[in-house]
Amino acid sequence: MEVALNTVVTLNFRLTDVDGNILDQSQDGTFQYLHGHGRILPGLERALEGKRAGDNVDVELPPNQGFGERDENLTEIAPRKIFKDLDVKPGMKFQARDKSGRFVPLHVVRVDGDDIHVDANHPLAGMTLYFSIDVLDVREPTEAELGHWPAADS
């Protein structure tokens, strides 16, 4: 069976940066998704379309096909007092509401005394991403899986 709309794809992947540093990886076929519903990056979905179990796929995604370009407007210096009594350190993650009221993930990039430098960019924004993918299985979804994996925009 080929990877197509509404197929369940099981794969292993390795994600690296331009220098070959491993940024993320799956193990033992634990990564599954319902194809065609925006559950993975669009460039990966396009690259996997038509592939079969046993296929290996190498994909290079520039920032505009991955997590976008970095936007310096998404960085801010927040006063320590809004973090109350927390011992804030670089790498910590928080959620804040944006001007429209939606929750936005933030990560702390630097702490300078009472100035907490936060960034709402995805940590991989601005990076060209290199995926090495092994397609392990492609099959029809069960009714339960169709209900479990609604479209990403629903």
Side-chain angles (χ1 to χ4, degrees), residues 78-88 92 94 113-114 116:
R80 180 179 291 281
K81 67 183 176 185
I82 68 169
F83 295 93
K84 303 194 184 234
D85 294 328
L86 292 174
D87 184 20
V88 180
M92 292 178 83
F94 296 92
D114 287 335
I116 311 297

Side-chain angles (χ1 to χ4, degrees), residues 9-153:
V9 181
T10 304
L11 54 83
N12 279 331
F13 72 90
R14 184 177 66 246
L15 169 60
T16 58
D17 64 14
V18 68
D19 296 320
N21 298 308
I22 297 174
L23 304 174
D24 195 8
Q25 62 185 355
S26 64
Q27 297 177 352
D28 302 324
T30 57
F31 189 87
Q32 282 189 334
Y33 75 98
L34 183 64
H35 191 79
H37 292 271
R39 305 312 293 177
I40 63 173
L41 294 169
L44 291 180
E45 276 201 334
R46 284 190 296 278
L48 289 167
E49 191 79 27
K51 301 300 186 227
R52 296 176 172 273
D55 286 347
N56 304 78
V57 183
D58 291 321
V59 182
E60 177 182 329
L61 293 181
N64 67 339
Q65 293 178 24
F67 293 97
E69 298 291 347
R70 279 195 52 76
D71 181 350
E72 292 308 316
N73 292 320
L74 297 177
T75 63
E76 188 174 322
I77 299 173
R80 180 179 291 281
K81 67 183 176 185
I82 68 169
F83 295 93
K84 303 194 184 234
D85 294 328
L86 292 174
D87 184 20
V88 180
K89 299 199 181 307
M92 292 178 83
K93 296 177 182 167
F94 296 92
Q95 285 195 355
R97 287 190 189 268
D98 65 11
K99 291 175 184 155
S100 67
R102 293 179 304 177
F103 281 105
V104 176
L106 300 173
H107 61 276
V108 176
V109 292
R110 194 168 82 230
V111 176
D112 289 329
D114 287 335
D115 292 336
I116 311 297
H117 298 254
V118 295
D119 190 342
N121 285 290
H122 188 283
L124 301 180
M127 297 176 67
T128 297
L129 305 173
Y130 299 89
F131 287 87
S132 180
I133 300 169
D134 295 323
V135 179
L136 303 177
D137 188 43
V138 182
R139 63 176 174 76
E140 295 292 328
T142 65
E143 288 298 319
E145 287 171 326
L146 283 173
H148 175 72
W149 282 313
D153 56 2

